[in-house]
Amino acid sequence: MGDKSLHSKVSRGVSRRGFIAGTGSILGAAALTVNVTPAHAEPATTTAPGPIESGARVPVLVIGTGYGGSVAALRLAQAGVPVHMAEMGMAWDTPGSDGKIFANTTRPDYRSYWLRTRTKAPLSNFLGFPIDKDVPRYTGILDAEEMGGIIVYQGRGVGGGSLVNGGMAVTPKRQNFAAVLPSVDAEEMYRTYYPRANAGLGVGLIDPAWFETVDCYQFARVGRKHAQRSGFPFVFVPDVYDWDYMKQEVAGTVPKSAVDGEILYGNNAGKKSLQQTYLAAARATGKVTISPLHRVTTVSPSDGGGYTVVMEQLSTSGDVLATKTVTAGRVFFAAGSVGTSKLLVRLKATGALPNLNDEVGRGWGDNGNVMCGRANHMWDPTGKVQASIPCGGIDNWDAGGAFAEVAPLPTGIETYASFYLSITKNPNRARFSWNAAAGKVELDWQTAWKQPSIDMAKTIFDKINAKEGTIYRTDLFGTNKVWGDHLTYHPLGGAVLDKATDNYGRLHGHPGLYVIDGALIPGNTSVNPFVTITALAERNIEKIIATDL
């Protein structure tokens, strides 16, 4: 893994150990390539008009500004179609009193959580002490939505999940793709759309030679050593972080971001979120406008054609400032797996979109997410300073049904701990349904459904612990609790492709309505999902532009 040409190989979309996209050239899609702006720049601002006005008529409304919605907006705009995007979260383009846009992972404040009065960190305890604290209620960046026995972490703001994830831009192994999206042609995805997505997202790979010596990845080298001594492959995985910027962080020549632990509540410099890639390119067309802090509540057929869309403009405390009604020729649902699924289920049940089929709300999964930590020996320190951006993982998918991200614990102190987020082949799927009495959408996920994920993760970590003579940490997720089985970072499904929609995301029963986000993917991608969401959106929007517009 010491090949210094890996950066150029990734940029050409060449496969390495099956995890990097494609066999075709990204440059072959030059006409559709996004120019990536410098990652260390401030999040892109817009000179577009203010929020959408009530009574407006737009050719296309996109609900949400995450991966699928950003792809749709850019490609539609490039095709000459004006697009308006409604985003429930904030724009995240204005620094706070500390001069930074985003709060630090170890110092959460009002910016950190979506309309909560107390933080809800994935790790609830550390060394026996609870770590959550009270915060002012604010339209912060991370939503810890509790439903059906699971906490679903979602990004809130212009850029969606790209604002808060670790940026691991992993393409599934080709042999696993049929289980991810069985109705999609794998050849065209790996030849065209995965390379296009990787180019648009600005995907790159850590310099392996630098990795071997830099202090902030000592934790990953320890994780690699333990994996390999137990016979598991360790693979470098691509990311959307600007690795040259991180080198400068380590050298002390630029403001620290990843090296200062920034990740969970946003990254102030270095990470190429959608604000710097697809959305920046979309805004540059002059045909895309965005209304932050606008929550869509109703979509229904309009008497004059198209769709009537009702949305609420929110204050930063979550109050409704105004209710607006607009008309859209076409509507793309891109509010994320949970947001899109909940909205569609409610619209069908309440009669706003009565012709949606019974597949709406079905096929939801957690991408098999489960977390754990291991207590290493004193001779295996993982480092006081840990870069918040993961760069590698342990692959036991074929033999044990698990792919484990070697994750950081950027606490600023030596923990002697190895920490992991596993993605597993969990077969359990949940359904969103309408509770008329309560007036809300509910999810029937059960905590017990995480047991297959635990069993699959144990195929890796039981073996490593036995080999190293180590034990699981029991202080990270509560008192004497080994497994973080209460959460997911990767919600998928709820409006599954070729079931709730046709094979390109057109919703059955209502022409002009589309799903273009992670709700299309039935519950599991075998790796971190956002490259697949992006690539599928590239495939679908190309077809929609060619045939529907």
Side-chain angles (χ1 to χ4, degrees):
M1 297 301 293
D3 186 351
K4 294 183 179 180
S5 67
L6 280 176
H7 284 289
S8 60
K9 289 182 179 180
V10 171
S11 68
R12 294 198 305 268
V14 177
S15 175
R16 185 169 181 85
R17 295 197 179 185
F19 280 95
I20 302 171
T23 55
S25 173
I26 291 173
L27 300 178
L32 292 174
T33 297
V34 178
N35 292 319
V36 177
T37 58
H40 52 276
E42 291 293 326
T45 57
T46 178
T47 57
I52 194 167
E53 297 293 336
S54 191
R57 303 181 69 89
V58 295
V60 170
L61 180 74
V62 177
I63 304 171
T65 57
Y67 292 102
S70 297
V71 170
L74 172 62
R75 302 314 181 194
L76 286 162
Q78 289 177 332
V81 181
V83 176
H84 193 88
M85 307 182 81
E87 168 58 52
M88 186 166 70
M90 293 172 51
W92 296 109
D93 57 6
T94 304
S97 59
D98 60 357
K100 296 185 177 182
I101 291 175
F102 305 116
N104 191 277
T105 302
T106 60
R107 300 181 294 278
D109 59 24
Y110 69 97
R111 294 169 290 188
S112 301
Y113 281 88
W114 177 259
L115 300 178
R116 297 186 70 93
T117 56
R118 188 168 179 81
T119 65
K120 192 78 174 177
L123 274 65
S124 60
N125 296 70
F126 190 70
L127 298 177
F129 297 97
I131 61 176
D132 284 316
K133 69 175 190 176
D134 294 339
V135 291
R137 179 179 166 89
Y138 192 76
T139 49
I141 197 166
L142 184 65
D143 193 350
E145 188 170 2
E146 301 175 76
M147 61 178 76
I150 192 168
I151 301 170
V152 184
Y153 287 99
Q154 301 159 80
R156 292 285 177 244
V158 175
S162 76
L163 298 170
V164 297
N165 64 26
M168 290 188 75
V170 197
T171 297
K173 289 181 178 179
R174 177 70 175 267
Q175 63 264 34
N176 294 335
F177 184 79
V180 176
L181 287 165
S183 66
V184 174
D185 183 346
E187 173 61 29
E188 67 175 14
M189 288 291 286
Y190 285 82
R191 181 184 66 246
T192 302
Y193 302 111
Y194 274 123
R196 187 175 296 171
N198 277 283
L201 293 165
V203 173
L205 200 66
I206 192 170
D207 176 355
W210 184 71
F211 168 84
E212 295 296 341
T213 60
V214 68
D215 289 346
C216 64
Y217 279 110
Q218 182 174 326
F219 78 91
R221 294 194 297 273
V222 170
R224 177 183 62 180
K225 177 178 68 175
H226 291 172
Q228 291 177 341
R229 289 206 299 217
S230 288
F232 297 114
F234 176 90
V235 292
F236 286 116
V237 295
D239 201 283
V240 294
Y241 204 81
D242 184 335
W243 295 107
D244 290 334
Y245 186 84
M246 195 187 295
K247 288 181 178 180
Q248 295 176 71
E249 292 180 60
V250 171
T253 58
V254 297
K256 288 181 170 59
S257 187
V259 176
D260 192 33
E262 292 179 351
I263 187 65
L264 191 61
Y265 310 125
N267 186 280
N268 283 293
K271 194 170 82 168
K272 290 172 276 190
S273 71
L274 289 169
Q275 292 171 308
Q276 284 83 25
T277 57
Y278 275 94
L279 286 172
R283 283 169 154 160
T285 66
K287 291 185 175 296
V288 176
T289 55
I290 302 175
S291 289
L293 291 174
H294 278 63
R295 177 174 59 202
V296 171
T297 59
T298 302
V299 178
S300 58
S302 176
D303 291 339
Y307 291 87
T308 299
V309 181
V310 180
M311 61 184 77
E312 298 171 335
Q313 183 175 0
L314 305 177
S315 72
T316 54
S317 60
D319 298 323
V320 177
L321 299 175
T323 299
K324 302 178 180 181
T325 301
V326 304
T327 303
R330 301 175 189 275
V331 178
F332 286 79
F333 290 82
S337 166
V338 173
T340 289
S341 300
K342 287 172 65 176
L343 184 54
L344 289 174
V345 165
R346 181 161 54 81
L347 295 176
K348 174 178 170 58
T350 58
L353 294 175
N355 296 333
L356 295 175
N357 69 19
D358 288 338
E359 290 292 336
V360 167
R362 296 179 183 270
W364 188 87
D366 67 338
N367 207 29
N369 283 181
V370 67
M371 301 174 79
C372 70
R374 295 175 42 254
N376 295 325
H377 295 295
M378 297 294 285
W379 56 81
D380 268 334
T382 48
K384 293 181 180 179
V385 177
Q386 299 189 12
S388 60
I389 300 299
C391 66
I394 304 168
D395 180 18
N396 197 40
W397 189 263
D398 293 339
F403 173 80
E405 169 188 315
V406 179
L409 270 177
T411 61
I413 62 173
E414 178 58 62
T415 64
Y416 297 96
S418 288
F419 187 55
Y420 308 90
L421 168 64
S422 294
I423 296 164
T424 65
K425 204 182 300 185
N426 191 324
N428 289 312
R429 298 293 179 265
R431 182 184 183 185
F432 292 96
S433 59
W434 176 249
N435 184 330
K440 65 178 183 179
V441 177
E442 297 178 338
L443 181 68
D444 67 356
W445 182 268
Q446 301 173 34
T447 304
W449 289 357
K450 283 283 194 176
Q451 191 60 47
S453 293
I454 293 172
D455 294 342
M456 292 170 189
K458 283 166 67 71
T459 67
I460 296 175
F461 303 117
D462 279 1
K463 187 174 181 179
I464 291 177
N465 278 337
K467 175 69 175 179
E468 301 297 328
T470 53
I471 61 174
Y472 289 105
R473 290 284 292 258
T474 61
D475 64 317
L476 301 177
F477 307 107
T479 303
N480 295 320
K481 182 173 170 56
V482 169
W483 297 98
D485 58 354
H486 59 296
L487 55 78
T488 182
Y489 290 102
H490 302 155
L492 294 166
V496 172
L497 188 76
D498 211 34
K499 291 184 177 181
T501 73
D502 75 353
N503 204 29
Y504 289 90
R506 302 178 183 94
L507 278 159
H508 294 303
H510 292 281
L513 297 184
Y514 309 85
V515 175
I516 198 157
D517 61 11
L520 293 171
I521 300 173
N524 200 296
T525 56
S526 75
V527 291
N528 306 63
F530 75 76
V531 174
T532 296
I533 294 170
T534 303
L536 183 63
E538 289 279 19
R539 167 195 181 265
N540 292 355
I541 197 63
E542 185 175 78
K543 180 72 168 183
I544 289 164
I545 290 171
T547 60
D548 295 17
L549 302 175

